[in-house]
Amino acid sequence: EFYETFCRETGTRPDYDALELAGSAIFEVNTPVFTIAAALWQARYRLGILSNTSESHFNYFASGRYALIPSTFEVLALSFRIKAMKPDPAIYQAAAELAGVPPTEIFFVDDIPGHVAGAIAAGFDAVQFTTAKQLAKDLRARGVRLNY
C-alpha cells in the first residue's frame, strides 16, 4: 500500500526491494545498550521488545544485521502485529499477555516520555532511557547484577 502511494505521489516506479531497503536503513546501533542487553541475556533474564514498528523495519533489523535481534529477545510485541501503538494501553496489555506475566513484573525502558507514561499507567515499572550508564544504574536499583 505504501509502495503504491509512493509511486503515485512521486510519479515514479522504483524497484520495490530497493525502496524498501532505503526506507528501512535508518537504524543505528546503540552499542552500550547492546552490551547491557547481551549481559542481561547471558545472566538469563527474560528480554522482550515492545516496538512501534512496521513489518519492513522489523524485517530489516531482525534479518541478521544486528546480532542480538531477535534471538536475544524472547517476547516480540510489535505494533504491526498487535495493531496498536505506544502509548495506547492495548499494546502494553498485549505485551504483558505475550510475556505471560502481570504488568507489575515488567521493567520497561523507552526514550520517549509519553511511552514511559503509558507503560506506567498500564502497571509496568518503567524509566526513560537517557544513557546506558543511567540504565545500568536503574537496573542495579532493581537488584539486577551485571558487569557494566
Side-chain angles (χ1 to χ4, degrees):
E1 185 178 317
F2 173 82
Y3 177 76
E4 292 303 326
T5 301
F6 179 88
C7 292
R8 186 176 59 254
E9 294 294 320
T10 62
T12 64
R13 197 142 193 94
D15 176 74
Y16 179 89
D17 292 332
L19 180 63
E20 185 174 42
L21 177 61
S24 297
I26 61 171
F27 301 97
E28 295 179 19
V29 175
N30 186 328
T31 304
V33 171
F34 264 46
T35 302
I36 291 172
L40 292 169
W41 179 74
Q42 288 175 338
R44 301 184 190 259
Y45 285 96
R46 290 183 70 214
L47 302 176
I49 295 175
L50 172 52
S51 180
N52 287 349
T53 191
S54 68
E55 187 172 7
S56 292
H57 286 176
F58 179 74
N59 290 340
Y60 177 83
F61 66 75
S63 66
R65 286 177 172 83
Y66 304 104
L68 297 177
I69 300 171
S71 61
T72 305
F73 298 90
E74 184 177 327
V75 178
L76 300 173
L78 309 172
S79 61
F80 75 91
R81 291 182 182 159
I82 295 170
K83 306 297 184 213
M85 293 177 65
K86 296 178 283 186
D88 182 336
I91 197 166
Y92 302 103
Q93 179 181 357
E97 289 172 6
L98 287 168
V101 298
T104 54
E105 292 186 24
I106 296 176
F107 177 65
F108 175 84
V109 180
D110 200 296
D111 60 336
I112 298 175
H115 296 173
V116 174
I120 291 169
F124 291 15
D125 177 9
V127 298
Q128 183 180 351
F129 176 81
T130 54
T131 65
K133 183 177 180 179
Q134 182 60 49
L135 175 56
K137 190 175 182 179
D138 291 335
L139 288 164
R140 281 192 295 278
R142 288 159 175 83
V144 175
R145 298 167 76 84
L146 68 151
N147 292 329
Y148 184 86

